[in-house]
Amino acid sequence: MRKILLGVVIGLSSMTASAAITDYLATMTLSEAYLQASADCGGSCDADIAAALVAAGYSASDIIAAVIASGVSPTAVIEAAAAAALEAGISINDVMAAVVQIDGVSAMDAIAGVTRAAVSHNVSIAAVMQAATAANIPAAVVVAGVVSSGQPTAAVLAAATSVGFAPSVIAAGQALAATTATSAGTNTGTSTRGANTGTNTNNTPPATSPTV
């Protein structure tokens, strides 16, 4: 999965993958064509497929949405995309601004995925919160997304306080994350704005200690 988004970011290419995916797109949806082309190479040419799709005129958002439509967790896709982007030198603000615009990804899932990638790349939780706020995500949803990423409660509270979130907003975000976790599997909203939070099914903290 990481290779798919890395291919989008750095623009890898393959004539073989390009020919295959082009043929499939004549009769299949984008997600179906991606799955078939990936299956053809045993999952070893995902970056090439992504680059071929970019060359065919599809945006990174189109490709990510197609992968999500194929059944992959939105948070996992966003984490991979954000990690690849950060490794390519793209700023956390630009990463956040891009992912919250992707169809089929809720604001909470976007923030959760970006937070996991950020923590693993030594970007602070506070920086993630500031980036999400700059992308016009409501503060309570920002907190909920970071909580859903599995970060330690103390780290989330410290970061939220440091960026100026009121205690009532922090509490509302924690409650929203808890409600979403409880209803995971039944709420499938896809809005990337406001309080529609989508589905989050992984609350396992990453191994890397977060920077507040």
Side-chain angles (χ1 to χ4, degrees):
M1 181 58 56
R2 186 181 180 81
K3 292 184 295 181
I4 298 173
L5 287 311
L6 186 57
V8 175
V9 172
I10 66 177
L12 299 176
S13 64
S14 166
M15 291 303 293
T16 301
S18 178
I21 196 71
T22 300
D23 289 343
Y24 290 137
L25 285 169
T27 58
M28 298 178 178
T29 65
L30 179 56
S31 59
E32 290 170 342
Y34 155 72
L35 284 173
Q36 186 59 60
S38 182
D40 288 348
C41 66
S44 64
C45 62
D46 287 334
D48 292 338
I49 295 169
L53 289 171
V54 171
Y58 291 94
S59 68
S61 295
D62 292 332
I63 298 168
I64 293 170
V67 175
I68 292 171
S70 72
V72 180
S73 160
T75 299
V77 174
I78 293 303
E79 180 180 1
L86 290 170
E87 289 171 8
I90 299 173
S91 73
I92 190 67
N93 279 34
D94 287 344
V95 170
M96 185 67 75
V99 300
V100 298
Q101 300 296 331
I102 298 172
D103 290 340
V105 179
S106 72
M108 265 186 67
D109 284 340
I111 293 166
V114 172
T115 301
R116 291 177 187 172
V119 168
S120 69
H121 287 74
N122 298 314
V123 177
S124 71
I125 295 174
V128 174
M129 290 180 167
Q130 290 172 326
T133 300
N136 298 317
I137 305 300
V141 178
V142 174
V143 173
V146 174
V147 169
S148 297
S149 75
Q151 306 311 310
T153 299
V156 176
L157 292 176
T161 300
S162 74
V163 299
F165 290 168
S168 60
V169 170
I170 297 173
Q174 291 174 309
L176 179 58
T179 300
T180 303
T182 299
S183 62
T186 59
N187 177 6
T188 57
T190 58
S191 170
T192 59
R193 296 289 178 190
N196 183 356
T197 58
T199 300
N200 177 45
T201 58
N202 185 349
N203 289 315
T204 304
T208 306
S209 298
T211 302
V212 174

